[in-house]
Amino acid sequence: MHRRAYFLLERDFQELKENNFKGITAFPVSEDLMEWGASIQGLQNTVWQGLFFQLTINFTSEYNLVPPVVKFLTIPFHPNVDQNTGRACIDFLDDPAKWNTSYTLSSILFTLQVMLSNPVLENPVNLEAAQMLIKDESLYKQIVLRFFNQPSQLRDDRPESLKDPDKFIRSTKAVSFNDYYKTWSGIATSKATEYYRSPLPEDPHFIGEYHKWKKLELKHPREWNLK
């Protein structure tokens, strides 16, 4: 089982290196490839633009039959991120029954990148962030930037390779903002509002098809809904 997981993670790593996706980076920090460090950059034309967040991704020998454990080291002020643990609340990470073996390291990172600027406000794990976003979006954006400048960090017991940002090779290939919507829908722990809902591709070759998708023209009115 471990050999299978090792092979699949080697494949995922090769995919990242070959495609050089913009704004997502990951690198193994253990010889058996079970522990990874990663970083994601906020999407352009959003409050998260230019902000980088470090994460840890821990796999088991059962990958890709079960999801990894993903946590933010740089914890954002976000409705779908636990402010204490850094856990990202995405249903396929929280519930193995919703995990799909077509998901890869790249698709996980894309989802997290999209999640930052596309919060799900129904049953948020960070209620304070959700309420502030609903009541005063301008203030929420200010708090987001303030938290980034003085971030909530988990205890720094990371491997040395994670503590050196130069260990991560920044990606340079651009992907349009609208294309990202193809990766995001109903995959957060809470159900998205109509404004943000779009289908998550089930195609196991979805990364290969990623750049072929046409841009979506979002015509839904903006609406926040906290239940």
Side-chain angles (χ1 to χ4, degrees), residues 11-12 15 63 99 102-109 206-207:
R11 179 205 63 184
D12 288 359
E15 177 186 68
Y63 181 74
W99 171 258
S102 68
Y103 301 155
T104 66
L105 181 58
S106 295
S107 59
I108 292 170
L109 293 174
F206 114 92
I207 291 295

Side-chain angles (χ1 to χ4, degrees), residues 100-223:
N100 191 307
T101 55
S102 68
Y103 301 155
T104 66
L105 181 58
S106 295
S107 59
I108 292 170
L109 293 174
F110 278 135
T111 300
L112 292 168
Q113 191 179 40
V114 173
M115 182 195 72
L116 287 176
S117 49
N118 291 268
V120 174
L121 300 178
E122 187 176 330
N123 301 321
V125 66
N126 187 335
L127 183 60
E128 181 183 5
Q131 290 177 333
M132 184 178 297
L133 179 55
I134 293 168
K135 295 177 180 178
D136 191 336
E137 187 175 351
S138 178
L139 177 60
Y140 171 76
K141 292 178 179 179
Q142 293 178 39
I143 298 298
V144 163
L145 296 176
R146 186 181 305 171
F147 263 68
F148 183 79
N149 292 326
Q150 298 178 334
S152 300
Q153 292 278 1
L154 294 180
R155 183 169 57 87
D156 196 0
D157 55 1
R158 296 166 290 160
E160 288 300 320
S161 58
L162 270 181
K163 298 177 183 179
D164 182 359
D166 292 334
K167 297 285 185 180
F168 293 95
I169 303 172
R170 299 295 183 199
S171 299
T172 57
K173 182 180 290 186
V175 180
S176 76
F177 175 83
N178 285 330
D179 282 347
Y180 280 96
Y181 283 92
K182 282 285 191 178
T183 70
W184 177 254
S185 164
I187 53 179
T189 298
S190 306
K191 189 176 181 180
T193 59
E194 286 295 333
Y195 179 73
Y196 292 119
R197 190 175 297 130
S198 61
L200 176 73
E202 297 293 339
D203 185 352
H205 306 293
F206 114 92
I207 291 295
E209 297 296 318
Y210 187 81
H211 296 285
K212 299 179 182 179
W213 293 330
K214 296 180 180 179
K215 291 182 178 180
L216 297 177
E217 186 174 6
L218 300 179
K219 298 181 179 179
H220 297 294
R222 192 180 190 88
E223 60 180 51

Side-chain angles (χ1 to χ4, degrees), residues 34-69:
M34 293 295 105
E35 298 179 19
W36 290 64
S39 72
I40 58 174
Q41 181 183 20
L43 296 177
Q44 292 184 358
N45 303 318
T46 74
V47 67
W48 307 93
Q49 179 174 341
L51 306 185
F52 283 88
F53 296 87
Q54 289 190 337
L55 308 96
T56 60
I57 306 176
N58 292 316
F59 297 90
T60 71
S61 60
E62 295 181 327
Y63 181 74
N64 63 353
L65 301 177
V66 298
V69 175

